[in-house]
Amino acid sequence: MNLIPHDDQPGLWVNKAWRAGTPGTFAMVIGISDYATLDGGLESLTLGKLPVSALSAFRFFEWLENEYFVSGCPLAGCWLLLAPSKEELQVAPRMAQATLSPDFASCDKVIHAWFDEMKNLPESAAKESRSIFFFSGHGLETIEDRQILLPRDYQPVLNVDRALSSENISKGLKGLKVPLHFLFLDACRKDHDKLSEYTTLTGTKVLNEPSNKRVNPLCKVPIFYASAAGTTAWSPDLTKGAVSVFSQALLEGLEANGLEPDCNTEKCFIYIHLLQPFMEGRMKEILRLYRSSESQEPRVRGDLTVTPVTELSGPQPQDWRPPKTPEPHLDFGGPSLPRSGEAIGIPLQADTAGKISDGEIRAYLDGARVYNFSSKEWLPDGSIEITNLRRQQDTNLYEFDIRIRKAAKGQLCWLELSNRIQTVGCALPVDWVEQTVFHASVHAASRPLAVASLDITLSENSGGGLRKAMQLWQRSDRGLLTLSDLQTHFLQTPFPELRSGIERHTVSSLGSLITASILSRTAQWKLAGDWMRALTTVSPQMTDGAILWAERCLRQDEGSASEPLKYFMLMDTATLPILSHTMSLALRQAEYFSSIDTLPAPFKAAISRIHRRLARAVGTFRPGGLFASFIGKPGQVSPETIAAPTVADGFRVGLSRAALKAQGTVLRKVSSPGHHEDGISVGVSREVEPAVRRMREYEAEAAAAEAMQREFPTETES
């Protein structure tokens, strides 16, 4: 199939064999190497021109033109926006033919043309159609899965948000009758310290986002990222035919070059769940061939789909044997180590692996300390145990396990690493039930030693329930989660039993919280029952359960905004969320509630306070990992970054805490003699007394909750 330029629409290439009004695949490809104003300086967020992003996008366009095939859904056309360098044009002169420069205004116009083409399809054709979106260029991300894609004319000094929002594009597509949209984003997911000087990065909305009631429930938008949250995507120097690391692995996978497809007697299929593990391994091989000490791991987010990306003709038995590993197109002498300017986004200013010794990292870790949020004190020396320290071969990536020795069950702590350059921190909970051991990955960079990223998850040495929850999260994080994976014993337990187990500390609250986060991330709301509400009371120091419950309420088609708002407002007098996913949800909820003009003034003030706290924290927040980590200058990151503010205003306390009105099933019965408070039987142990005090407070504040029910509107769109 040969695509030809459209006569009247610059940038559009059409398939003359496709008939209007019939099912088809509608593609958009954007590749930007020659950024017009980015010069690598601080005002450009250290971003500059890129070596092969336009060429990478063009090679993907050629694959669409020559190799892409889905039965009954031919490629109808492709909008192609390229900004190649002179060197790239010499490699592929055809890039100069009938393309459109990917400035913001052009991207805006073309995305609407692409969207409208699908919107105007007859319903029967729309249901059999699909779209593909590919972007290669600079990207930034401040919270998980809110990536902005930088147009050719991006100028952060004028408007840091004048860029495409992947979140907006994925949400906007949900309003179409077309049920399937693949997004491939070959761009970095890091941010820059200078971004903390601005309000929270969101990008510019191009598409209207449908309300929950208008979302097509059959629509799926899987998003294939070139790198994990908070990390960098890489490109080599331009050599003849070279493309980015992600694009090379992607094209090899789509062509079944080293990937074994799923075949029947007639044809073969390439699925997302086959591409992801193939590319994860292949990208590591490519980086090794480039003699790079960097790491880059692709991630799949968005909706689960079992529909193939592309189809291949029927195979001969030998066709799909794994071939010898194909090498990058390189000069005979081999490539050089990628430099900072070759990162597709914010570079890691890293030296070679040999310049950071194991002794240096051990000395750095020896300075770790822990703060207890309950006692509001730093724990004594020896409270942290760091074991199993190891280094990934030929990299500056170190991994180790962390155990907090002196923290009681159910406590929330703050782990901090600091030197004269930066402070790195992360809030870590100790579970009520299971042995809690954390696993950390630290990417060390530059001299003197600094941390480019800190990802903290749970170790395999944790208790069994936490291990199972962690394994589920890992599959979710890598984009390998399936619906059958969710059929765990935990989620098969009747909801009342599950809720009771969480409340009585017979079921791991941290494992439950992780599972609830996975269900939220994958939009599996049927499994997210009212047992999630128990997470709002079992660990009052943590607000993650409240945010997840608020999100579940907002996702319901009907109901008032008061229920989710009550739980959201707990952050006014408590810590910010500690999981990366719920931290991102909290900011999105703050933006949503801030947009409701009909709220009474006291609620607006509380929401504004929470929004400001979140925005300040996000300035140093690093997405990636299970637990939210923060990296900033000394004095910028501390326990107070996520700790509750000092509160003296009784009305403020009443508003934010009324959601936790006492319930008789919350407390564990103890053997000591009981007494009655307000008709509720409770025990009198040290473990229970704080909860009894909270119950008295919450009962007194119930009137505030009832007032909220009367005051709030009924809109629920988030």
Side-chain angles (χ1 to χ4, degrees):
M1 165 183 53
N2 286 320
L3 299 178
I4 61 173
H6 192 282
D7 293 335
D8 301 321
Q9 295 188 49
L12 174 58
W13 293 67
V14 295
N15 175 11
K16 284 289 189 179
W18 176 75
R19 290 184 297 107
T22 63
T25 298
F26 301 85
M28 175 171 296
V29 175
I30 301 173
I32 310 170
S33 296
D34 186 26
Y35 277 88
T37 60
L38 300 180
D39 60 8
L42 189 60
E43 293 302 324
S44 294
L45 306 181
T46 72
L47 301 170
K49 297 181 187 299
L50 292 169
V52 293
S53 282
L55 186 56
S56 298
F58 185 69
R59 296 304 185 210
F60 187 85
F61 168 79
E62 289 183 318
W63 170 80
L64 283 168
E65 182 181 38
N66 300 315
E67 306 290 339
Y68 172 78
F69 174 74
V70 171
S71 301
C73 192
L75 182 65
C78 180
W79 283 264
L80 180 64
L81 293 86
L82 298 176
S85 65
K86 293 179 181 178
E87 293 77 12
E88 288 175 297
L89 283 171
Q90 291 176 353
V91 173
R94 187 172 173 234
M95 283 196 289
Q97 182 183 2
T99 61
L100 190 62
S101 178
D103 296 338
F104 180 84
S106 296
C107 290
D108 185 350
K109 180 179 179 180
V110 168
I111 287 173
H112 277 283
W114 173 61
F115 182 90
D116 289 342
E117 189 75 29
M118 291 184 279
K119 181 180 178 181
N120 294 331
L121 285 170
E123 185 169 349
S124 59
K127 290 180 178 179
E128 301 298 323
S129 296
R130 53 167 57 189
S131 77
I132 295 176
F133 180 96
F134 180 95
F135 177 92
S136 184
H138 280 307
L140 295 169
E141 182 176 281
T142 53
I143 63 174
E144 191 175 61
D145 300 334
R146 178 181 281 176
Q147 184 184 34
I148 68 166
L149 310 172
L150 310 190
R152 180 177 181 267
D153 55 348
Y154 184 66
Q155 289 185 273
V157 69
L158 298 181
N159 188 344
V160 75
D161 262 338
R162 197 168 187 265
L164 303 177
S165 163
S166 63
E167 182 181 45
N168 168 252
I169 293 171
S170 63
K171 286 183 177 180
L173 292 172
K174 292 271 190 172
L176 290 170
K177 295 294 184 183
V178 176
L180 184 61
H181 310 272
F182 292 101
L183 273 58
F184 297 95
L185 305 180
D186 189 9
C188 283
R189 297 177 68 192
K190 284 183 67 67
D191 62 2
H192 189 278
D193 288 343
K194 190 174 178 61
L195 292 179
S196 62
E197 300 175 9
Y198 307 114
T199 57
T200 308
L201 198 68
T202 61
T204 300
K205 289 185 177 182
V206 173
L207 296 176
N208 290 325
E209 298 177 5
S211 68
N212 290 340
K213 295 179 181 179
R214 295 188 178 276
V215 165
N216 178 1
L218 301 178
C219 184
K220 298 184 182 298
V221 187
I223 306 173
F224 212 131
Y225 291 105
S227 60
T231 64
T232 307
W234 288 95
S235 292
D237 286 326
L238 177 63
T239 58
K240 191 172 183 178
V243 293
S244 70
V245 173
F246 173 79
S247 294
Q248 179 173 337
L250 175 62
L251 291 172
E252 289 175 4
L254 291 170
E255 295 169 355
N257 187 357
L259 178 149
E260 184 175 354
D262 189 350
C263 300
N264 59 29
T265 56
E266 297 181 355
K267 63 181 69 173
C268 293
F269 306 91
I270 305 292
Y271 295 97
I272 285 282
H273 69 262
L274 297 178
L275 273 174
Q276 200 283 335
F278 165 76
M279 291 180 60
E280 187 172 334
R282 180 60 183 135
M283 287 165 65
K284 291 178 181 177
E285 293 175 354
I286 294 170
L287 282 166
R288 282 198 297 270
L289 290 167
Y290 283 135
R291 302 173 188 172
S292 171
S293 64
E294 303 302 337
S295 62
Q296 181 179 342
E297 296 185 355
R299 289 290 185 267
V300 177
R301 290 288 182 270
D303 301 303
L304 301 176
T305 179
V306 292
T307 306
V309 181
T310 188
E311 300 173 7
L312 304 168
S313 60
Q316 299 298 319
Q318 70 272 17
D319 285 352
W320 311 117
R321 292 175 184 171
K324 292 183 180 180
T325 303
E327 302 239 350
H329 303 285
L330 304 170
D331 293 333
F332 180 76
S336 59
L337 179 73
R339 299 187 301 272
S340 61
E342 294 153 10
I344 308 176
I346 297 299
L348 297 175
Q349 300 292 344
D351 293 325
T352 59
K355 292 197 175 179
I356 296 176
S357 68
D358 292 351
E360 285 178 298
I361 197 72
R362 287 193 183 95
Y364 180 74
L365 295 177
D366 283 344
R369 58 179 186 161
V370 172
Y371 179 87
N372 187 302
F373 282 106
S374 293
S375 65
K376 295 182 172 53
E377 294 179 344
W378 292 95
L379 297 183
D381 292 343
S383 298
I384 307 173
E385 181 182 25
I386 294 179
T387 58
N388 302 323
L389 178 64
R390 56 193 180 277
R391 176 183 194 157
Q392 284 194 13
Q393 185 178 5
D394 301 325
T395 73
N396 286 330
L397 186 65
Y398 288 85
E399 298 183 58
F400 51 90
D401 286 351
I402 304 169
R403 191 193 308 268
I404 302 175
R405 289 173 170 170
K406 303 294 176 88
K409 292 182 177 181
Q411 296 292 297
L412 182 63
C413 298
W414 170 265
L415 172 71
E416 184 173 290
L417 294 161
S418 188
N419 58 19
R420 62 184 179 83
I421 296 177
Q422 63 176 188
T423 298
V424 181
C426 184
L428 301 176
V430 178
D431 191 45
W432 281 102
V433 178
E434 304 275 9
Q435 173 175 279
T436 312
V437 184
F438 303 97
H439 181 76
S441 297
V442 169
H443 196 134
S446 74
R447 279 176 171 266
L449 188 147
V451 170
S453 66
L454 170 68
D455 291 349
I456 297 189
T457 57
L458 288 170
S459 167
E460 287 291 321
N461 296 317
S462 294
L466 288 181
R467 271 202 314 276
K468 291 178 181 177
M470 187 61 208
Q471 289 163 0
L472 202 64
W473 181 86
Q474 288 170 335
R475 289 190 64 79
S476 169
D477 187 55
R478 293 176 61 202
L480 300 177
L481 189 70
T482 65
L483 293 177
S484 61
D485 292 326
L486 296 173
Q487 304 304 312
T488 62
H489 175 74
F490 177 91
L491 290 173
Q492 294 300 305
T493 304
F495 287 175
E497 293 180 24
L498 190 53
R499 181 175 64 249
S500 176
I502 295 170
E503 291 169 342
R504 296 176 181 277
H505 305 314
T506 59
V507 173
S508 167
S509 57
L510 180 55
S512 303
L513 185 67
I514 294 169
T515 304
S517 173
I518 294 168
L519 297 178
S520 171
R521 173 188 268 184
T522 56
Q524 298 299 317
W525 302 112
K526 291 183 180 179
L527 294 174
D530 63 354
W531 61 269
M532 288 176 60
R533 184 156 50 183
L535 298 171
T536 67
T537 58
V538 70
S539 297
Q541 289 178 315
M542 293 166 49
T543 54
D544 295 74
I547 293 302
L548 289 168
W549 179 251
E551 188 70 14
R552 181 184 181 274
C553 295
L554 288 169
R555 295 293 181 136
Q556 294 176 334
D557 289 338
E558 297 179 356
S560 78
S562 61
E563 174 74 359
L565 181 56
K566 287 189 298 184
Y567 288 90
F568 169 81
M569 287 179 61
L570 293 178
M571 282 189 295
D572 198 26
T573 54
T575 59
L576 298 180
I578 67 167
L579 300 184
S580 288
H581 175 64
T582 43
M583 182 72 177
S584 301
L585 281 182
L587 182 62
R588 291 179 173 99
Q589 289 176 14
E591 293 167 349
Y592 164 64
F593 287 124
S594 297
S595 70
I596 301 178
D597 296 330
T598 55
L599 292 177
F603 301 105
K604 288 183 178 179
I607 292 166
S608 178
R609 286 192 295 267
I610 296 169
H611 195 179
R612 286 196 301 270
R613 286 182 63 207
L614 284 165
R616 285 195 298 268
V618 165
T620 58
F621 172 60
R622 296 297 184 266
L626 174 61
F627 298 98
S629 62
F630 302 83
I631 303 177
K633 299 174 183 177
Q636 201 176 19
V637 173
S638 69
E640 288 74 24
T641 304
I642 66 167
T646 302
V647 178
D649 183 346
F651 180 62
R652 178 175 170 186
V653 174
L655 289 178
S656 61
R657 289 295 185 183
L660 295 184
K661 181 181 177 183
Q663 300 175 35
T665 59
V666 170
L667 302 178
R668 185 200 305 225
K669 298 293 182 180
V670 294
S671 56
S672 54
H675 64 282
H676 286 74
E677 291 287 343
D678 297 328
I680 300 176
S681 178
V682 296
V684 286
S685 68
R686 176 179 298 180
E687 179 181 345
V688 171
E689 284 177 352
V692 174
R693 290 196 298 272
R694 286 196 300 275
M695 288 173 62
R696 294 169 181 165
E697 295 170 359
Y698 303 154
E699 284 290 344
E701 295 156 4
E706 294 172 359
M708 287 173 26
Q709 294 285 353
R710 293 192 300 270
E711 293 282 353
F712 281 110
T714 58
E715 66 175 305
T716 60
E717 292 79 8
S718 62

